[in-house]
Amino acid sequence: MGRKNTASTSLGELMESAPVGYAEPDRTWRRRVAVWAGAVAVVALSVGTLVAPGAVAVAAGANSLVNLWEELPSDVPLERSLPQHTVLLDNKGKEFARFYSENRIDVELKNVSQTFRDTLIGTEDVRFYEHYGVDPYGVTRALVNNAVSSNTQGASTLTQQLVQNIMVNNARDEAEQSVATGDTYNAKIRESKYAVHLEQTLTKDEILKMYVNAVYFGNRAYGIEAAARIYFNTTAAKLNLQQSALLVGLLKGPGVYDPFLHPEAATSRRNTVLGVLENNGTVTAAEADAARKAPLELERGTVPSSCGDSEYPFYCELVREEILENRAFGATPEERADRLSRGGMILTTGLDRQAMDAGRKAVTKALGDKNRAALGVAVVEPGTGHIAAVTQNRGWGQGKGKTQVVFAKSEFQVGSSMKPIVLGAALSEGVPASQRYNSSGPYYSPTLDDPAEGFHNYGFTNYGNIDAYEAIRKSVNVYFVKLIERTGVIDVAKFAETLGITSIPTDSLSGHEASLALGAYEVSPLEMANAYASFVSGGVVCNPVTITGAVRSDNGEELPVPDTDCHQGIDPGVADTVADALKEPFKSGGTLSGLGKPKGREAGAKTGTTNDFSANWIVGLTPQFSTAVWLGDPRGGGQYPLDEVDAYGTTYYDLTGAEVAGPVWKATMEGALKGKSAEPLPDAASVGLGMQTDKSIPDVRGMKVDEAITVLLRNNLTPMVNEETAKANPLQPPGVVVGQTPRAGGSLRYRQEVSITLSDGSDTAISVPDNG
């Protein structure tokens, strides 16, 4: 039954299987073919009009008809799958959403009940396993019937019907579009040629599999698996005789025989199918009679069809937007939209259910879903760029308490959570964290744009001479105005860009905008979480993505996915020092000392409160997760400030980041980290800050081997010690690096291997620590 026609089949060979008496003895094969091909066109005309004389007359031009056949293209566009579902999986491989333009679920032929297969073939194409794509017996039978009866018959084989279904979605030109409708002479000839070629390309079972997954059964059910679920809430593997007869009957007219709307017509059509099966011996009379007496027994099922049906709709929406925006899914917006519409993908994502559920529980406990204030949470994995979670205290949809806007991707003023980024920029330029400034207010800058009243600290507190650690611990405004004054506004903006922040208008800055240091510019929670992630990953910066793996659902072929482009974005020493400074707010006198760290964890975090309490932030991290929490009114923080907010069953006035956003962050982190090992944050780098910001491979020649390995690991490179040492040289003592590949100064790539050669007499059996 799995026959595959490997040799080319001509029209002459097709005619060898024509019924006896079809061709007159004195007629040449070309002339016989012309008559037969004309009959194919006549019989299958959708209107059923009898035009046999005209078709037969074509025989006079048999040579031209045969030439037309041979010249017609034959390749069917199989490289593009029919529209199917896009299935989204979490990071453990469990489905959490699916969407589609056509409700089609591909299924293997072995997972379609034999009863349905027999019913389909017995009704639609009883000689399916015998013909070569076009059935001369069927053509002849239909031609005779249509000549003497008003009840027209069609003669298209399952293969020809499959060609039409493929062309409906994949037609490459107007001629192929006409094949999809099949209502002209030339279209039917083309359809026949395509069908013959399809039989030469695929086995019968492969064609049958494609057919049962392609055809439309009504009620948005494309393919047998979707139809089984929609009409009977079952699977294609479990379809019985009466169910199979109903579904096969629907192929003649899904709207006319819709069993939900027209049960009597559907029952009559089902019984007609059973009669056909009985007549041709597919089923016995007893089997047919029992099935005819059975009720329809419909049970309407559903198949999730959008992000709104997902348990994680906002994360699903991020995935949908990523498909539409990322060039991995097409070079143009039109190509990406077509890819989304066609589906047929199984996408693995970074979604971490534990983090998602913890975040959802935290935002709901804090504000509920109908609070005028909103929370947006983003969780990113440092060093990978994988987005683990996005949550918010809103339901999906429209109306009160609902939205389809993903707050984690929306941009808001970030307040003092920008200060660690200013510190990182200063460190990268060689300004040490020990740098002390008089941080009392008011302060008027000689080079920056000052507010009329000068720069003040929160609560008008004066701190005197302090270093960066104390400035981070207490979120001291004046210190960071002086720090950006020394570092340069544009340099800070460029440093933020290096961390993946795209919303600051660097090219239009004048260099006098001190407000950048205090978070006056808007950034999304997702980009803030991703930027902070670089501080705990040794300076590795990644593009944040939801999709981590993709395959075609029909054949398992791997597909391109968005590139995280993880690379050494900033000096490891800079990253480690900022991470170390972020521990300060949890210490005595710090802005988060009352909140405390996640239980049993070392963590770093920074709060943010914008002018006039228009928004609150906290961005914090552990080695496993970087999480940003925004709190504000989505209608606009300027008009609707957080001067009075109901949260946790009480009313808060003039909110700061530690009071509501802080507890949400802590609860999210504790839930996300449950069961994971407690890992320490980096300590500050003692040397080398700002000396390795050009992303080049460092020169380790002349260093002792332990020192060289440390330098390479700190730059997120992978040291490899050559087994062979260098030639003896009295000027080179053992244990010293005398050569390296690639050479120093070359472009640095994340975790690139650097091979080092040691001096003669060195021990090369060295265990290199893992840099992961």
Side-chain angles (χ1 to χ4, degrees), residues 359-431:
R360 178 62 191 168
K361 183 178 179 180
V363 298
T364 303
K365 181 179 179 181
L367 296 181
D369 279 3
K370 296 183 179 180
N371 199 305
R372 65 99 174 174
L375 283 157
V377 181
V379 185
V380 174
E381 289 185 359
T384 70
H386 298 168
I387 301 172
V390 291
T391 59
Q392 57 196 68
N393 66 317
R394 291 288 190 273
W396 176 268
Q398 298 178 341
K400 188 174 182 180
K402 297 181 179 181
T403 186
Q404 294 181 8
V405 176
V406 182
F407 295 148
K409 198 178 178 182
S410 303
E411 295 168 358
F412 310 98
Q413 287 187 344
V414 296
S416 294
S417 58
M418 190 70 182
K419 290 172 180 174
I421 295 174
V422 179
L423 174 59
L427 293 171
S428 70
E429 293 188 3
V431 180

Side-chain angles (χ1 to χ4, degrees), residues 302-638:
T302 60
V303 179
S305 63
S306 68
C307 290
D309 291 329
S310 171
E311 56 188 313
Y312 303 118
F314 295 103
Y315 195 101
C316 173
E317 175 63 13
L318 273 191
V319 176
R320 192 188 72 83
E321 291 176 5
E322 190 164 276
I323 295 171
L324 291 173
E325 295 169 0
N326 196 283
R327 292 177 66 87
F329 299 97
T332 66
E334 293 76 19
E335 289 178 12
R336 296 191 289 272
D338 180 67
R339 193 72 188 86
L340 177 65
S341 176
R342 301 184 66 80
M345 300 181 288
I346 299 175
L347 305 179
T348 300
T349 71
L351 185 146
D352 184 301
R353 287 177 182 264
Q354 192 167 301
M356 288 288 299
D357 294 343
R360 178 62 191 168
K361 183 178 179 180
V363 298
T364 303
K365 181 179 179 181
L367 296 181
D369 279 3
K370 296 183 179 180
N371 199 305
R372 65 99 174 174
L375 283 157
V377 181
V379 185
V380 174
E381 289 185 359
T384 70
H386 298 168
I387 301 172
V390 291
T391 59
Q392 57 196 68
N393 66 317
R394 291 288 190 273
W396 176 268
Q398 298 178 341
K400 188 174 182 180
K402 297 181 179 181
T403 186
Q404 294 181 8
V405 176
V406 182
F407 295 148
K409 198 178 178 182
S410 303
E411 295 168 358
F412 310 98
Q413 287 187 344
V414 296
S416 294
S417 58
M418 190 70 182
K419 290 172 180 174
I421 295 174
V422 179
L423 174 59
L427 293 171
S428 70
E429 293 188 3
V431 180
S434 60
Q435 175 67 50
R436 305 180 73 86
Y437 290 118
N438 185 325
S439 300
S440 298
Y443 172 69
Y444 295 90
S445 170
T447 60
L448 303 177
D449 293 333
D450 295 317
E453 69 281 6
F455 293 102
H456 289 273
N457 299 316
Y458 180 74
F460 296 96
T461 303
N462 293 325
Y463 294 97
N465 280 331
I466 58 173
D467 63 9
Y469 273 67
E470 187 171 354
I472 288 285
R473 186 188 318 137
K474 299 177 179 178
S475 195
V476 181
N477 293 340
V478 172
Y479 184 94
F480 285 98
V481 169
K482 291 188 175 182
L483 193 59
I484 199 173
E485 185 179 64
R486 174 166 176 176
T487 306
V489 169
I490 293 176
D491 284 353
V492 170
K494 289 181 177 178
F495 185 81
E497 284 184 350
T498 300
L499 300 182
I501 293 174
T502 62
S503 55
I504 297 173
T506 305
D507 292 340
S508 61
L509 295 177
S510 67
H512 303 293
E513 296 85 353
S515 58
L516 176 63
L518 307 180
Y521 290 86
E522 296 181 341
V523 186
S524 72
L526 190 54
E527 287 194 349
M528 287 299 289
N530 190 59
Y532 271 51
S534 65
F535 299 142
V536 77
S537 64
V540 174
V541 178
C542 304
N543 297 327
V545 300
T546 60
I547 301 168
T548 62
V551 297
R552 278 182 55 159
S553 56
D554 56 353
N555 60 16
E557 175 191 348
E558 287 192 13
L559 298 171
V561 296
D563 185 7
T564 57
D565 187 30
C566 292
H567 61 278
Q568 193 67 49
I570 61 174
D571 176 71
V574 169
D576 290 353
T577 302
V578 176
D580 190 50
L582 284 170
K583 304 171 189 175
E584 293 296 310
F586 291 109
K587 295 181 178 179
S588 177
T591 54
L592 292 169
S593 59
L595 177 68
K597 294 176 289 186
K599 186 177 181 180
R601 308 270 171 182
E602 186 172 63
K606 182 68 188 75
T607 56
T609 302
T610 61
N611 285 343
D612 300 319
F613 306 100
S614 63
N616 291 160
W617 285 76
I618 180 173
V619 189
L621 44 76
T622 66
Q624 294 100 330
F625 290 121
S626 176
T627 299
V629 177
W630 162 83
L631 170 65
D633 192 311
R635 295 172 296 177

Side-chain angles (χ1 to χ4, degrees), residues 1 109 113-131 135 141 156-159 161 204-205 207-209 211-212 244 248 251 273 276-277 280 282:
M1 293 177 68
L109 196 58
S113 76
Q114 187 65 50
T115 299
F116 177 83
R117 285 183 268 167
D118 292 343
T119 302
L120 175 66
I121 292 172
T123 305
E124 293 291 310
D125 190 356
V126 72
R127 280 170 39 83
F128 173 70
Y129 282 104
E130 301 169 28
H131 62 64
D135 185 8
R141 182 199 66 246
S156 291
T157 64
L158 290 180
T159 312
Q161 293 177 43
K204 285 289 189 179
D205 284 351
I207 290 170
L208 186 59
K209 173 192 169 183
Y211 181 90
V212 299
S244 298
V248 170
L251 297 176
V273 170
V276 172
L277 297 177
N280 63 29
T282 302

Side-chain angles (χ1 to χ4, degrees), residues 41 45-46 178-179 181-189:
L45 281 175
S46 60
S178 71
V179 172
T181 55
D183 55 1
T184 68
Y185 176 80
N186 283 341
K188 295 309 294 185
I189 295 297

Side-chain angles (χ1 to χ4, degrees), residues 240 242 267 270-271 274 288-297:
N240 60 29
Q242 56 264 31
T267 302
R270 179 198 68 176
N271 294 344
L274 291 168
D289 188 54
R292 275 190 287 263
K293 292 178 181 179
L296 292 181
E297 294 182 338

